[in-house]
């Protein structure tokens, strides 16, 4: 019956979608939509504003307040039903993408060292460092060879495992130490077949082990 009640019901019911009139007593729909967007956890809930026919000012204000879409009066009920279904389907898709992205960020953030994409020659095509552990590559490593940073024997071993990964498709795991002899760095690397001629290299600091 009014905008303030709408906000209370929204928090209580947590609806999948909100249909709200622009003209409401005590708190109009534009202000209610703006306050709704400020509530924690409700930034992605679709809000469909109901406006007077050809009320371009209200339509613009609704979008600026965070409305997802609008429908004009007099309401065409079959069209409204189709619009609601479309908006709900789009909202679920965005929510699923957001969940998937959050999972990916969590998984990547749990890797203590770095991830690299290497070609068959051992050239570093992409580097994803997370700053969680002791890095073995400098920030400008992309485009350079692993042999630029590792001793000859380790680099040869690296290439052998890259070839095995590309030939057989199985995950190759090995450990290596490099750096100063008095304080060597120890890493475990896992090579995964990424594409036809690329591997994904995941590094983990195993110095403590």
């Amino acid at each position: 019956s009014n905008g303030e009640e709408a906000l209370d019901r929204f928090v209580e019911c947590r609806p999948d979608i909100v249909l709200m009139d622009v003209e409401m007593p005590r708190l109009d729909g534009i202000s209610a939509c703006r306050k709704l967007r400020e509530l924690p956890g409700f930034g992605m809930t679709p809000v469909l504003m109901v406006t007077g026919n050809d009320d371009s000012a209200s339509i613009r204000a609704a979008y600026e307040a965070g409305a997802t879409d609008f429908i004009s009066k007099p309401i065409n009920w079959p069209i409204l039903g189709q619009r609601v279904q479309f908006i709900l389907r789009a909202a679920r898709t965005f929510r699923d993408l957001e969940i998937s992205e959050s999972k990916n960020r969590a998984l990547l953030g749990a890797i203590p060292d770095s991830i690299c994409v290497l070609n068959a020659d051992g050239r570093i095509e992409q580097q994803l460092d997370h700053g969680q552990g002791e890095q073995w590559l400098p920030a400008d490593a992309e485009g350079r060879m692993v042999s630029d940073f590792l001793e000859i024997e380790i680099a040869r071993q690296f290439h052998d495992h890259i070839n095995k990964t590309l030939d057989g498709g199985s995950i190759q795991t090995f450990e290596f130490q490099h750096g100063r002899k008095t304080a060597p760095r120890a890493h475990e690397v896992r090579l995964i077949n990424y594409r036809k001629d690329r591997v994904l290299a995941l590094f983990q600091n195993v110095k403590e082990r």
Side-chain angles (χ1 to χ4, degrees):
S1 61
N2 62 73
E4 292 180 356
E5 182 187 356
L7 289 176
D8 292 339
R9 294 293 302 277
F10 181 80
V11 174
E12 176 186 350
C13 300
R14 295 176 174 267
D16 294 319
I17 189 170
V18 175
L19 280 73
M20 187 156 53
D21 204 323
V22 170
E23 298 295 334
M24 290 193 296
R26 296 174 63 178
L27 187 68
D28 63 84
I30 303 297
S31 300
C33 180
R34 188 176 293 109
K35 287 182 176 295
L36 185 152
R37 287 292 180 232
E38 295 173 355
L39 295 173
F42 298 120
M44 295 296 292
T45 302
V47 179
L48 185 61
M49 300 297 297
V50 182
T51 69
N53 195 24
D54 297 327
D55 187 359
S56 58
S58 293
I59 292 171
R60 183 173 61 252
Y63 280 130
E64 291 175 351
T68 308
D69 203 352
F70 74 94
I71 190 163
S72 300
K73 298 177 183 178
I75 295 174
N76 183 320
W77 295 103
I79 294 296
L80 175 61
Q82 293 176 8
R83 186 84 62 88
V84 167
Q85 290 181 28
F86 174 80
I87 292 174
L88 281 173
R89 187 166 63 246
R92 292 191 187 104
T93 300
F94 278 114
R95 185 180 65 247
D96 292 343
L97 287 172
E98 187 177 35
I99 292 172
S100 177
E101 184 180 358
S102 298
K103 288 181 178 178
N104 287 337
R105 285 199 301 266
L107 287 170
L108 289 174
I111 297 172
D113 274 325
S114 60
I115 309 175
C116 296
V117 177
L118 306 171
N119 67 11
D121 297 326
R123 186 177 300 278
I124 301 162
E125 295 195 346
Q126 188 177 8
Q127 179 184 7
L128 300 173
D129 284 324
H130 301 279
Q132 302 283 335
E134 188 179 20
Q135 304 301 322
W136 78 282
L137 288 174
D140 60 347
E142 288 188 8
R144 301 168 68 180
M145 307 291 290
V146 293
S147 56
D148 293 339
F149 311 103
L150 299 173
E151 291 82 354
I152 295 176
E153 184 56 38
I154 298 176
R156 186 180 297 115
Q157 185 182 13
F158 218 114
H159 282 95
D160 289 342
H161 284 284
I162 290 176
N163 291 331
K164 290 178 181 178
T165 305
L166 293 174
D167 290 341
S170 61
I171 298 176
Q172 296 290 316
T173 303
F174 68 99
E175 295 182 9
F176 66 90
Q177 294 187 13
H178 69 108
R180 294 176 299 171
K181 292 183 178 181
T182 55
R185 298 178 181 181
H187 290 279
E188 177 189 81
V189 58
R190 294 186 180 186
L191 299 177
I192 303 170
N193 200 325
Y194 180 53
R195 289 200 298 267
K196 182 178 180 181
D197 55 352
R198 300 289 186 276
V199 298
L200 200 65
L202 293 84
F203 297 87
Q204 185 175 22
N205 187 328
V206 293
K207 184 178 180 179
E208 291 298 325
R209 188 175 74 199

